[in-house]
Amino acid sequence: MKSNTPPDSISYDGQEPPPHPTIRSLRELIDLVSGRSFKESELLEPSGLAEILPFPFMGLVGQTEMKVALLLALINPAINGVLLLGPRGTGKTTAVRSLFDLLPDIKRSACFYGCLPQDIESGGMDAVCPDCARKYAEGLPLTKSDRVRLVELPLNTRIDDVVGGLDDRAQVHERMRLKRGILAEADQNILYVDEINLLGDDIVDATLDAAAQGKYTVHRGPATATYNARFTLIGSMNPEEGNLRPQIMDRFGLRIIVRGLQEAHERLEAYNRVHAYTENPRQIIEHYRRETDQARQDVQEARRLLPQVELPDDLAHTCIKMIQRLKIDSLRAEINLFEAARAYTAADGRNKVELNDVQAVAPMCLRLRRSSFMTRYFQEQTEEDLEIEAELKPVQN
Ligand SMILES: [Zn+2]
C-alpha cells in the first residue's frame, strides 16, 4: 500500500535514517539513547524484588515510529489517540506501559465532584459544589498539580465497570448512587486498551463516544450522572486475531504498524536488555534514568509550547490537497494530521509548523484510512448518475 511507505525523515528498524537537515530534539534523543547498548557484563546480581516496575521507555530497542507516536500522544491529546497494530511479542504493551516515567503533570480538580474554576467562569457559582464555591470565594485553588496516569481497560471487563453502575453498598442505604466507571477514572489520563479488536461492541462504542465527546452520561434506574472523560486512547491489536470495524479504525489519530526487530544485532540487544530487566529491573531503569528525565522534561515543555504552535494556511492547503489526492474522505485525516504536526513542532521547540514536520507524521496519520469499498462505491454511483443524466437529456429536448 502506497500510504504505508515511510517518508525520508522516519527511520525504520535496521535502516539508517538518511541525513536530515533539521535536528529533532526529541527524536534525536530517542534515536541516540535507544542505540546505547546494555552489556551483559554490566548486570548486577538479581535483585529478588517482586515489585512490578515498567521497562524504561528509553531502553526500548528500535521501533522509532511507535515511540514517536506515543510521545506525540502525550504532548497533544487532540491527535485522538494511537492504534498499535502488530503480531504478538513485538513489544506493544511493554512500550505503552513504559510511558509510566514520562507522564506529564497536569492541573486536576481537587474535588470528588471534579469541580473546576472554569465551571464557575462559564456557569456561575451554582456550577460547582458548595465546598468549592466557598473555596473559590476565599481565593483558594480548586485544582492541584498531579501526574497523568495510565489506566488500563482489561479485556474481560463488563459494561458496568466501564461506564459505572449502581453502587451496591449505597443501595443498602436506599440512596441510589452511581459508581465511577473506568472511563471516568480515565479523565485527563491515558486509557490503554489491549486487544481492542476483541472487546465487545457495546464497550468499544461507549469508549469511543466518550473519547470523542470528552464526557458521557449514565442512566441506571432513577439515577443519572454525567462524567468528564477527556482521555487519550491508546489501543493495540493483533490483526491476525480479527479486524476492527472501519468506523472504529477511523477514530484513531495515529496508526502504527509494529513489526518485530529485523536486524540480528538489534534482537540480541533487545534480549540483553529484557534479560537484565528480568534479573534486576531497578538497574536497567537507572541505566536510562538521565535520558528518561530529559524526555519527560521535553514532553512537559512541548505541552507548554503547544498552544502557541501555528500551522500556516498555505501549508494546511498543501496537506488537504495531498489528502484528496490520496482519496481519503474522512475529515478526521486532516484534523489528526494537523494536530500531530503541531505536537511534533512543539517537541522540537518551535512555534511554526514546517513541511518537514508534516512529512514526519503524515504516514502514521494517513495510513489505513482509504477504503477500497468506498472508492468502488463512489465510482459506481458516478457512473449511475451519468447514466441517469444521459436518459434525462431526450426528455428535456
Ligand atoms: Zn467541588
Side-chain angles (χ1 to χ4, degrees):
M1 199 188 290
K2 192 158 181 274
S3 61
N4 264 347
T5 314
D8 290 342
S9 50
I10 286 187
S11 72
Y12 274 70
D13 309 325
Q15 290 172 16
E16 279 300 312
H20 201 281
T22 325
I23 291 171
R24 305 283 177 203
S25 56
L26 202 57
R27 269 211 49 209
E28 198 187 39
L29 186 68
I30 292 172
D31 286 348
L32 281 178
V33 175
S34 300
R36 188 146 72 75
S37 65
F38 187 91
K39 301 278 182 312
E40 187 76 358
S41 56
E42 297 175 54
L43 185 61
L44 298 177
E45 289 297 298
S47 65
L49 293 171
E51 63 197 322
I52 300 165
L53 297 164
F55 190 87
F57 184 84
M58 302 309 279
L60 296 167
V61 177
Q63 312 287 15
T64 304
E65 199 191 36
M66 170 165 66
K67 287 190 270 193
V68 170
L70 292 173
L71 292 177
L72 294 178
L74 291 189
I75 292 166
N76 186 2
I79 63 169
N80 285 333
V82 182
L83 181 62
L84 307 176
L85 299 113
R88 284 172 183 283
T90 45
K92 301 185 296 294
T93 302
T94 304
V96 176
R97 289 184 179 151
S98 77
L99 289 172
F100 180 78
D101 275 330
L102 303 183
L103 297 172
D105 289 320
I106 50 158
K107 289 266 181 245
R108 209 187 284 279
S109 172
C111 166
F112 174 80
Y113 301 102
C115 307
L116 290 166
Q118 49 264 43
D119 296 339
I120 298 176
E121 283 146 27
S122 60
M125 287 296 194
D126 289 342
V128 296
C129 74
D131 217 29
C132 287
R134 181 187 54 76
K135 277 195 199 167
Y136 190 82
E138 291 173 15
L140 297 170
L142 303 191
T143 57
K144 58 178 194 267
S145 187
D146 192 17
R147 243 184 197 211
V148 168
R149 286 191 291 271
L150 187 69
V151 177
E152 294 197 30
L153 196 154
L155 190 57
N156 57 2
T157 195
R158 300 169 311 145
I159 187 73
D160 271 11
D161 299 327
V162 175
V163 298
L166 289 171
D167 189 333
D168 296 335
R169 285 167 308 172
Q171 274 175 291
V172 173
H173 302 288
E174 295 192 1
R175 282 183 61 215
M176 304 281 263
R177 282 280 305 273
L178 290 168
K179 278 189 297 203
R180 287 159 69 85
I182 293 171
L183 297 181
E185 294 297 334
D187 184 44
Q188 290 195 286
N189 291 317
I190 309 276
L191 181 65
Y192 175 47
V193 189
D194 191 12
E195 302 193 86
I196 188 166
N197 52 333
L198 304 183
L199 274 183
D201 286 351
D202 54 344
I203 291 174
V204 173
D205 291 343
T207 305
L208 291 173
D209 286 345
Q213 309 205 355
K215 60 185 176 188
Y216 67 98
T217 301
V218 195
H219 304 277
R220 288 289 183 274
T224 298
T226 298
Y227 298 99
N228 281 328
R230 301 153 296 173
F231 52 80
T232 298
L233 185 62
I234 300 178
S236 59
M237 58 174 276
N238 177 357
E240 287 174 315
E241 293 170 351
N243 262 320
L244 272 186
R245 287 177 280 155
Q247 67 268 39
I248 296 171
M249 190 75 105
D250 185 48
R251 306 287 272 273
F252 282 94
L254 308 181
R255 313 90 194 294
I256 307 301
I257 312 295
V258 187
R259 293 178 200 165
L261 297 171
Q262 303 294 309
E263 297 286 316
H265 70 90
E266 283 188 321
R267 297 180 80 107
L268 180 62
E269 182 62 33
Y271 165 78
N272 283 340
R273 293 184 199 181
V274 169
H275 176 62
Y277 170 75
T278 316
E279 293 290 310
N280 193 329
R282 279 185 188 280
Q283 192 196 354
I284 190 135
I285 290 166
E286 284 311 312
H287 187 77
Y288 294 101
R289 171 62 61 198
R290 201 160 44 91
E291 293 86 356
T292 300
D293 292 345
Q294 171 73 52
R296 180 166 187 269
Q297 268 176 31
D298 284 359
V299 167
Q300 194 81 45
E301 178 59 20
R303 282 174 67 104
R304 199 190 56 74
L305 186 62
L306 184 70
Q308 298 155 33
V309 178
E310 285 176 9
L311 177 76
D313 278 351
D314 55 339
L315 184 53
H317 281 292
T318 308
C319 293
I320 291 173
K321 290 255 166 59
M322 173 182 68
I323 289 169
Q324 287 176 323
R325 282 199 303 276
L326 287 168
K327 295 190 167 55
I328 297 170
D329 289 304
S330 174
L331 288 175
R332 292 196 179 96
E334 53 254 38
I335 296 169
N336 299 153
L337 178 62
F338 295 163
E339 292 300 334
R342 289 181 64 242
Y344 195 83
T345 306
D348 198 28
R350 288 173 289 112
N351 58 14
K352 196 170 156 194
V353 179
E354 296 165 9
L355 185 61
N356 279 339
D357 304 312
V358 174
Q359 284 172 334
V361 297
M364 49 179 116
C365 297
L366 301 182
R367 69 166 64 103
L368 295 170
R369 287 210 192 255
R370 283 192 292 192
S371 153
S372 54
F373 172 84
M374 289 313 293
T375 307
R376 224 170 31 244
Y377 182 82
F378 287 138
Q379 201 175 348
E380 282 169 12
Q381 282 313 305
T382 310
E383 283 166 16
E384 191 184 16
D385 285 0
L386 288 173
E387 273 180 58
I388 293 169
E389 279 166 28
E391 286 302 321
L392 285 173
K393 269 188 190 142
V395 180
Q396 284 167 346
N397 288 340

